Amino acid sequence: MKEIFNSPYLNSKLEKDNEEESYPMISGYYRFGTTDYDYKKPEDSFKAQLGTTSIALDYSRPIFYKTQAEAIQDYKDLPLDDILNIFKNGRKLDNFVIENEVGRFDLNEAFPEGKVLFNIEIGKGQSYIDIYNKVIILGEDPWTPEGLVTLLHEVGHYKDYLRSNPSERHAKKTARNSIDEGKDIEFNSELLLRKERDAWAYALKDLDPFREDLDIYLDELQEEIHGSCLKSYSDIIKEKLNKN
């Protein structure tokens, strides 16, 4: 990329403009194994053996005490529409483990005492993590390649948070708002892009032992990460900095 920023990081890491259409993440939207389910049950468990890799999921309905008002209070830092959807349709991942002889990913070990809520009508792909309240809102079905990859990415944000010092944590938390407010845009843009790229790096590392058995192809995934996910942030940064 032509050097148009003061930051060498932005000059080298911002995604290039691409006129080609970006395709959905991975190939197909299939479920692991042959389990028939639709999350209408308040709780259930699924297991599958794919090649040498076993994968297991347990879910339940989140406990909201007695009323919707108490649910809103319990998740007061989340958008109201998301809270209402959680109250109506939401499910909580109680257990999610993938393992083979090469590696193991256990959600409860990677995100201890955290909550992962899914089956929420916030739109396909609309996922995010509230690190300070340890809540992940997963806009994908976790029993699919798309959902798994998205979950690993959000957990990657938590892992990046753990390795950061207190000042870095605060700076990363406020980077997006600071960009929108026009504060130190180039500095905060670098923070934002680093945060997203680092979360993807963690996700790819956690996924690597299982990709072949789960039919997740690295070239397709890399194309989606760089051509859509990271590019969306690059576009925001270039727009804010009036750089094309």
Side-chain angles (χ1 to χ4, degrees):
M1 174 177 286
K2 182 181 177 181
E3 294 189 358
I4 57 177
F5 302 99
N6 292 323
S7 164
Y9 186 87
L10 291 180
N11 285 323
S12 63
K13 301 301 184 182
L14 278 176
E15 302 298 331
K16 298 179 180 178
D17 291 331
N18 190 343
E19 296 180 358
E20 296 181 4
E21 182 180 357
S22 180
Y23 295 95
M25 186 178 292
I26 318 175
S27 56
Y29 192 79
Y30 63 91
R31 292 166 170 172
F32 297 124
T34 57
T35 304
D36 184 19
Y37 64 96
D38 57 13
Y39 298 121
K40 288 184 178 179
K41 294 180 180 179
E43 60 183 30
D44 208 346
S45 300
F46 314 128
K47 292 183 179 179
Q49 184 71 37
L50 302 170
T52 64
T53 298
S54 63
I55 179 170
L57 177 156
D58 301 300
Y59 77 84
S60 63
R61 185 172 182 179
I63 298 173
F64 291 120
Y65 309 107
K66 298 179 181 179
T67 69
Q68 182 170 292
E70 288 174 306
I72 293 173
Q73 178 61 29
D74 198 23
Y75 293 96
K76 59 184 181 295
D77 292 328
L78 300 180
L80 178 60
D81 287 345
D82 289 1
I83 298 172
L84 297 179
N85 281 321
I86 291 168
F87 185 79
K88 180 181 179 182
N89 304 308
R91 298 292 182 260
K92 179 171 68 72
L93 275 178
D94 298 316
N95 178 61
F96 193 82
V97 177
I98 313 172
E99 59 184 335
N100 57 28
E101 67 275 11
V102 179
R104 172 183 170 89
F105 175 82
D106 185 327
L107 177 62
N108 290 327
E109 293 176 359
F111 193 48
E113 300 180 2
K115 293 180 181 179
V116 177
L117 304 172
F118 68 103
N119 202 44
I120 302 164
E121 298 175 355
I122 59 174
K124 178 176 170 60
Q126 298 299 309
S127 303
Y128 58 88
I129 182 171
D130 177 348
I131 287 179
Y132 290 86
N133 290 291
K134 296 191 74 172
V135 177
I136 290 173
I137 299 295
L138 189 63
E140 302 275 7
D141 181 344
W143 200 245
T144 65
E146 292 85 350
L148 168 61
V149 170
T150 304
L151 175 61
L152 294 179
H153 172 70
E154 300 304 337
V155 171
H157 278 301
Y158 179 69
K159 292 183 175 183
D160 180 57
Y161 168 83
L162 291 181
R163 76 167 183 179
S164 302
N165 62 47
S167 62
E168 289 173 332
R169 291 175 180 177
H170 176 74
K172 289 176 180 178
K173 180 185 179 183
T174 59
R176 179 60 186 272
N177 286 339
S178 296
I179 293 170
D180 291 339
E181 294 169 1
K183 299 177 180 177
D184 297 324
I185 296 179
E186 192 158 319
F187 170 77
N188 285 294
S189 294
E190 181 174 328
L191 280 178
L192 178 63
L193 193 60
R194 283 184 184 275
K195 182 174 71 170
E196 289 302 319
R197 290 179 64 91
D198 288 347
W200 277 119
Y202 278 113
L204 290 174
K205 182 177 180 180
D206 284 335
L207 178 65
D208 188 62
F210 322 113
R211 282 191 296 102
E212 183 174 351
D213 285 340
L214 300 184
D215 287 330
I216 298 175
Y217 302 103
L218 184 59
D219 56 344
E220 293 181 358
L221 182 52
Q222 289 277 18
E223 180 180 348
E224 176 65 15
I225 290 172
H226 290 281
S228 179
C229 302
L230 290 174
K231 188 177 184 303
S232 67
Y233 287 97
S234 294
D235 290 345
I236 291 170
I237 290 169
K238 285 187 281 189
E239 179 182 355
K240 291 294 182 179
L241 290 169
N242 295 316
K243 301 290 181 68
N244 297 311

